[in-house]
Amino acid sequence: MGSMESTSSGRTVAARDRDSEGRARNARPRDGLGRPLPYGAPGVARQPEGVVRRPEESVAEAQRLLDEGKPFHAHEVFEDAWKSGPQEERELWRGLAQLAVGLTHAARGNVTGGARLLRRGAGAAQAWAAEGGFRPHGIDLAGVIAWARELAAEVEGGAVVDAGARAPRLR
């Protein structure tokens, strides 16, 4: 017999959001910072997951999303590159994804999480660059690392962050 328990949204457990493979997926609309909105509210189009792009396309798409104030969505692009790219670039893309999530948290007002992820992403990018990859795919890693560390300090100092206005320049 199926369960008739309710979720916090009042929907029955049997009616939970599922993807085509039956995995639980939250289908609630999201805002530009990835925060869930009420069912039926207008949201920002989701970034499709699992897209394989050329590295230059990933950088361009992530920059577009960052400029639009959608770092949560840019993180999805970086995550796809991290998961589908060559092994020797995984730490680069992981670090960039962490930077985008750090900007997301900072813009949401999460001081601790924002600063921590900005620094973690900067450290991952710096460690990757130390292995010899200085300007991969045209990315200005030194500039992005400096941006992340500066923003982390500002966030800890109480700065209110507008994600679009504080987006990094990747190239």
Side-chain angles (χ1 to χ4, degrees):
M1 228 188 270
S3 171
M4 294 309 287
E5 296 175 49
S6 293
T7 65
S8 61
S9 67
R11 295 167 4 135
T12 62
V13 172
R16 284 191 176 164
D17 302 327
R18 302 276 175 189
D19 66 13
S20 61
E21 282 103 42
R23 290 186 303 252
R25 294 278 189 222
N26 190 329
R28 286 173 60 182
R30 303 244 174 200
D31 70 6
L33 294 175
R35 292 176 290 220
L37 299 169
Y39 284 99
V44 174
R46 288 193 176 207
Q47 189 64 32
E49 294 180 41
V51 177
V52 177
R53 300 173 182 87
R54 289 189 349 265
E56 294 76 14
E57 293 170 325
S58 293
V59 174
E61 178 67 3
Q63 185 69 69
R64 180 185 70 76
L65 292 164
L66 289 164
D67 291 345
E68 290 177 3
K70 300 175 185 172
F72 177 82
H73 302 278
H75 130 270
E76 297 287 355
V77 172
F78 289 136
E79 191 171 278
D80 286 341
W82 160 20
K83 291 178 178 178
S84 67
Q87 182 66 33
E88 62 272 9
E89 291 185 4
R90 291 191 79 167
E91 288 304 302
L92 166 69
W93 297 111
R94 184 177 66 88
L96 292 171
Q98 288 172 331
L99 291 173
V101 173
L103 178 56
T104 299
H105 283 286
R108 289 177 176 176
N110 177 351
V111 173
T112 302
R116 182 175 292 142
L117 281 161
L118 286 163
R119 286 198 176 94
R120 187 180 301 155
Q126 186 170 18
W128 187 85
E131 298 290 321
F134 186 67
R135 265 188 93 88
H137 313 294
I139 300 170
D140 176 13
L141 274 184
V144 171
I145 292 165
W147 162 85
R149 291 192 170 133
E150 179 182 310
L151 185 58
E154 289 177 26
V155 167
E156 288 175 327
V160 175
V161 176
D162 176 306
R166 291 308 312 265
R169 302 304 320 151
L170 299 175
R171 292 187 170 148

